Amino acid sequence: MGDPLGTRRILVTGGSGLVGRAIQKVVEDGARLPGEDWVFVSSKDADLTDAAQTRALFQQVQPTHVIHLAAMVGGLFRNIKYNLDFWRKNIHINDNVLHSAFEVGVRKVVSCLSTCIFPDKTTYPIDETMIHNGPPHSSNFGYSYAKRMIDVQNRAYFQQHGCTFTAVIPTNVFGPHDNFSIEDGHVLPGLIHKVHLAKSSGSALTVWGTGRPRRQFIYSLDLARLFIWALREYNEVEPIILSVGEEDEVSVQEAAEAVVEAMDFHGEVTFDTTKSDGQFKKTASNAKLRAYLPDFRFTPFKQAVKETCAWFMDNYEQARK
Amino acid sequence: MPGAALEDSTSQSAAGRPDLVLPTPPGPGAWLDAQPAPEAALRAGGVRRRCSYHGRSSGDQADPSDGGLRAGGQSHPEGGRRWGQAARRGLGVCLLQGCRSHRKNIHINDNVLHSAFEVGVRKVVSCLSTCIFPDKTTYPIDETMIHNGPPHSSNFGYSYAKRMIDVQNRAYFQQHGCTFTAVIPTNVFGPHDNFSIEDGHVLPGLIHKVHLAKSSGSALTVWGTGRPRRQFIYSLDLARLFIWALREYNEVEPIILSVGEEDEVSVQEAAEAVVEAMDFHGEVTFDTTKSDGQFKKTASNAKLRAYLPDFRFTPFKQAVKETCAWFMDNYEQARK
């Protein structure tokens, strides 16, 4: 490639999304190292479901490293309806990105999986070795299998070509720049938007489902710091879970209560149990992460929720919803 | 919709065209079971072949991995379609080419299924394999177990790509109500196989080796210990079952097409059947430095038997004999 030693050009796909924006902020706030050139791209720059456009992007940018975040994502209800589209589009994106990276000699790719892709029938806590040990939850099997195939493809690139293509597995991410759509966003941003509407209209907050499912939430800015660490320091092809510990798992009801408190909502809170809960739990072990980074400190949950709610209120007009 | 009766294969479609059944055309890399069904079955079913198979080679077909995944198929002037070919390999090559075989098969399958969807194909029957099942498993394996754990590491690229056909079938059904399904044969053998010793499968490889051993007066060396066990299905039996599945099998969940568990044989026994069929009298040795692959893959054919309790498979030794005879008669042009 001709790049001088120590110069790195890092391409971040999905750069305008929840995690991409968080990485951007962390890099701009001082995490950038000398010699690092960070390039954030979004769907405006290239349609990654198209092989030719993806290849052209990689040839133009000539990255040495890639953080691959781009994906077709959605909340529970959208996944249930469109499993085929979630499967195909994500398979296309991932194959195009990984192969273009391979073709231009990228030294490392860190892709993004999710704990929702793990086997539905499983013991807890789940860990990195268990990804393929059984079918995923049926609600989002298309998305889940497409994401799992990133790990298969990473191992295949390593086995056939010796590439260091790897992946991280965040639990439920939230933060500024999320998709706050009630219909097809994720649970926490959906709750934030709902509380805002309930406050504005003086009505009750209706939480979908029973409120009992449990989740480990990771603040996007914490995830961004860990992503940057993984890009620089994590060299295994096997993936790594990035999450708060099991002891910090909360129920959807507790998450709703944190939002209610952060937004100073005093109306009624009800649960619509006719709506699906999705997976009851996805408790993940962060032991592997802790073995690498025993002293990493996550932003306390309530503080992170408060910051996210404040961002939403300050950016209501342009927020995705 | 699964469960709904299929129309008779000679009925007319809404546009007035007779139903056309389009098997993927053969080429150097194609499955041997994609060959045209026996002529009698074709006439009985009133099905016409659409494509000419003569003179077609892999050079005629675009490399499915070039240009990535495509949204639609190309229309041939006569209304036929060009399909990609399966990238299938024996054990030795699988170990080296996990990436390539994964990508090529993902591309082929996505292109075929999506093109079928776009032109309104009423039914697709794809082909999986028992080698894609979980490596750590209980036996016999059955159709519900495909995704219950990682496949054997020797061919994980191919295995995952094949498994994803089942995922995609279920997704097409869930989102669009398509009847896209799959069958799961055990080890297939028969005329027109790939008899390459390096990258063919075990039985055709043995046939070729015995022929070479006879010709040169040397020993037959079987790779591995000879102990792994397999259920072999003759390609002509599989072809009859494929046609039945196309006409009568309407579930989206796949179905195993295999002889029963009681007909499982060891690689050594398979070698002995070839030796007998080809009248070989030299020494038989086993090269235990070579990999055995999976020790067993015993599959249950209970689901098939529930549908077809009276289906009769060609006896193994007879099928081996016929295949050896075909190989000898067609040695020059056989793939090897």
Side-chain angles (χ1 to χ4, degrees):
Chain A
M1 295 303 306
D3 283 352
L5 211 60
T7 300
R8 294 177 161 199
R9 181 167 301 127
I10 301 133
L11 174 67
V12 181
T13 71
S16 63
L18 167 65
V19 181
R21 291 277 195 178
I23 294 177
Q24 215 167 336
K25 178 167 170 44
V26 169
V27 164
E28 285 166 4
D29 284 355
R32 182 200 316 266
L33 291 179
E36 281 183 354
D37 175 21
W38 288 78
V39 178
F40 293 84
V41 296
S42 73
S43 54
K44 292 186 184 55
D45 302 288
D47 175 1
L48 298 177
T49 64
D50 182 294
Q53 286 193 42
T54 309
R55 187 176 288 135
L57 173 72
F58 273 74
Q59 282 173 355
Q60 181 206 330
V61 173
Q62 293 290 328
T64 58
H65 296 69
V66 176
I67 289 181
H68 172 43
L69 306 172
M72 178 178 170
V73 299
L76 173 65
F77 299 96
R78 192 152 158 248
N79 266 282
I80 287 175
K81 279 177 74 175
Y82 298 110
N83 269 292
L84 177 69
D85 293 347
F86 276 93
W87 157 258
R88 289 193 81 232
K89 284 199 181 293
N90 284 311
I91 283 282
H92 293 189
I93 290 169
N94 299 334
D95 184 66
N96 291 337
V97 168
L98 290 178
H99 207 64
S100 293
F102 168 71
E103 286 179 331
V104 302
V106 165
R107 281 179 272 173
K108 190 165 179 185
V109 179
V110 183
S111 293
C112 194
L113 308 188
S114 166
T115 47
C116 73
I117 72 177
F118 276 78
D120 183 40
K121 296 190 179 8
T122 182
T123 56
Y124 295 99
I126 54 185
D127 66 51
E128 295 85 350
T129 66
M130 295 159 67
I131 294 175
H132 304 283
N133 283 2
H137 194 267
S138 59
S139 60
N140 61 344
F141 74 90
Y143 173 87
S144 296
Y145 277 115
K147 281 291 188 181
R148 290 181 179 199
M149 291 307 107
I150 291 177
D151 179 57
V152 171
Q153 219 162 336
N154 285 346
R155 290 191 276 128
Y157 275 104
F158 174 68
Q159 189 217 56
Q160 195 167 332
H161 300 291
C163 304
T164 308
F165 291 1
T166 187
V168 301
I169 317 176
T171 46
N172 274 52
V173 194
F174 71 99
H177 301 280
D178 205 343
N179 177 5
F180 291 83
S181 160
I182 290 166
E183 283 300 323
D184 55 70
H186 289 90
V187 61
L188 206 38
L191 284 168
I192 292 173
H193 191 181
K194 278 186 177 178
V195 168
H196 170 71
L197 293 178
K199 270 184 88 171
S200 312
S201 62
S203 46
L205 165 68
T206 304
V207 182
W208 284 350
T210 62
R212 291 202 297 269
R214 301 182 68 72
R215 298 288 183 265
Q216 286 147 295
F217 290 100
I218 179 169
Y219 191 26
S220 61
L221 296 178
D222 294 337
L223 178 60
R225 286 181 263 271
L226 291 171
F227 241 113
I228 294 166
W229 164 80
L231 182 75
R232 292 172 181 159
E233 315 275 357
Y234 180 72
N235 293 320
E236 296 182 39
V237 171
E238 297 291 323
I240 180 168
I241 289 170
L242 301 180
S243 173
V244 298
E246 301 165 52
E247 64 281 5
D248 291 314
E249 190 177 55
V250 299
S251 68
V252 167
Q253 178 167 352
E254 288 167 318
E257 286 164 1
V259 174
V260 158
E261 183 185 323
M263 294 182 74
D264 202 32
F265 176 71
H266 297 288
E268 189 191 356
V269 180
T270 65
F271 292 86
D272 180 358
T273 54
T274 68
K275 293 279 202 282
S276 174
D277 265 342
Q279 275 175 267
F280 177 68
K281 58 187 286 181
K282 313 177 189 175
T283 318
S285 165
N286 73 350
K288 187 171 183 177
L289 172 64
R290 283 302 184 198
Y292 277 97
L293 296 175
D295 300 324
F296 183 86
R297 295 182 56 183
F298 290 92
T299 308
F301 181 61
K302 288 193 175 184
Q303 176 188 336
V305 169
K306 212 168 165 61
E307 289 178 15
T308 306
C309 292
W311 183 91
F312 181 69
M313 298 310 300
D314 291 344
N315 294 273
Y316 185 77
E317 290 307 311
Q318 59 268 40
R320 289 182 288 148
K321 54 192 184 296
Chain B
M1 299 286 290
L6 273 186
E7 292 170 350
D8 180 272
S9 60
T10 57
S11 64
Q12 300 280 324
S13 68
R17 289 194 324 258
D19 292 348
L20 290 159
V21 174
L22 196 68
T24 54
W31 289 306
L32 61 92
D33 54 28
Q35 288 290 313
E39 289 299 327
L42 284 173
R43 285 196 298 275
V47 172
R48 286 189 283 117
R49 273 179 287 192
R50 247 278 164 90
C51 292
S52 164
Y53 298 123
H54 297 296
R56 189 179 294 254
S57 72
S58 63
D60 297 338
Q61 299 174 355
D63 183 336
S65 65
D66 279 353
L69 296 154
R70 295 187 183 79
Q74 286 183 306
S75 184
H76 198 270
E78 292 159 19
R81 293 287 183 270
R82 293 190 154 219
W83 304 118
Q85 61 207 28
R88 193 180 72 155
R89 296 283 187 269
L91 177 61
V93 176
C94 277
L95 288 167
L96 295 174
Q97 294 196 16
C99 182
R100 186 163 169 268
S101 94
H102 179 76
R103 290 194 77 231
K104 277 191 180 293
N105 283 307
I106 288 276
H107 292 187
I108 289 168
N109 300 332
D110 185 66
N111 290 337
V112 169
L113 291 178
H114 207 64
S115 293
F117 168 71
E118 287 181 330
V119 302
V121 166
R122 279 176 275 174
K123 192 163 177 187
V124 179
V125 182
S126 293
C127 193
L128 309 188
S129 166
T130 47
C131 74
I132 73 177
F133 275 79
D135 183 39
K136 294 188 181 7
T137 182
T138 55
Y139 295 100
I141 53 185
D142 66 50
E143 294 86 350
T144 65
M145 294 160 66
I146 296 175
H147 305 284
N148 282 2
H152 195 267
S153 59
S154 61
N155 60 345
F156 76 91
Y158 172 88
S159 296
Y160 276 115
K162 281 292 188 179
R163 289 181 179 199
M164 293 306 110
I165 291 177
D166 178 57
V167 170
Q168 213 160 341
N169 285 345
R170 290 191 276 127
Y172 274 104
F173 172 64
Q174 193 222 47
Q175 194 169 329
H176 299 291
C178 305
T179 308
F180 293 179
T181 187
V183 300
I184 317 176
T186 46
N187 275 52
V188 195
F189 71 99
H192 302 281
D193 205 342
N194 176 5
F195 291 83
S196 160
I197 291 166
E198 284 301 321
D199 57 75
H201 286 87
V202 60
L203 204 39
L206 284 169
I207 292 172
H208 192 180
K209 281 185 178 178
V210 168
H211 170 71
L212 294 178
K214 270 183 86 170
S215 312
S216 62
S218 46
L220 166 68
T221 303
V222 181
W223 285 352
T225 62
R227 291 202 298 269
R229 303 182 66 73
R230 297 288 183 268
Q231 287 147 294
F232 290 100
I233 180 169
Y234 191 26
S235 61
L236 295 179
D237 294 337
L238 178 60
R240 286 181 263 271
L241 291 171
F242 242 112
I243 293 165
W244 164 80
L246 182 75
R247 293 173 177 158
E248 314 276 356
Y249 181 71
N250 294 319
E251 298 182 39
V252 171
E253 297 291 324
I255 180 168
I256 288 170
L257 302 180
S258 173
V259 298
E261 301 165 50
E262 64 282 3
D263 291 315
E264 192 178 53
V265 299
S266 68
V267 167
Q268 177 167 353
E269 288 168 318
E272 286 164 359
V274 174
V275 158
E276 182 184 325
M278 294 183 73
D279 202 33
F280 175 71
H281 297 287
E283 189 192 357
V284 180
T285 65
F286 292 86
D287 180 357
T288 54
T289 67
K290 292 282 201 289
S291 174
D292 265 343
Q294 275 173 268
F295 177 68
K296 59 187 284 180
K297 312 178 191 174
T298 317
S300 164
N301 72 350
K303 187 171 183 177
L304 173 65
R305 282 303 184 199
Y307 276 97
L308 296 176
D310 300 323
F311 183 85
R312 294 184 55 184
F313 290 92
T314 309
F316 181 60
K317 288 192 174 184
Q318 177 188 336
V320 169
K321 212 169 162 62
E322 289 177 15
T323 305
C324 292
W326 183 91
F327 181 69
M328 298 311 300
D329 291 344
N330 296 272
Y331 185 77
E332 290 306 313
Q333 58 268 43
R335 286 181 288 145
K336 55 191 184 298

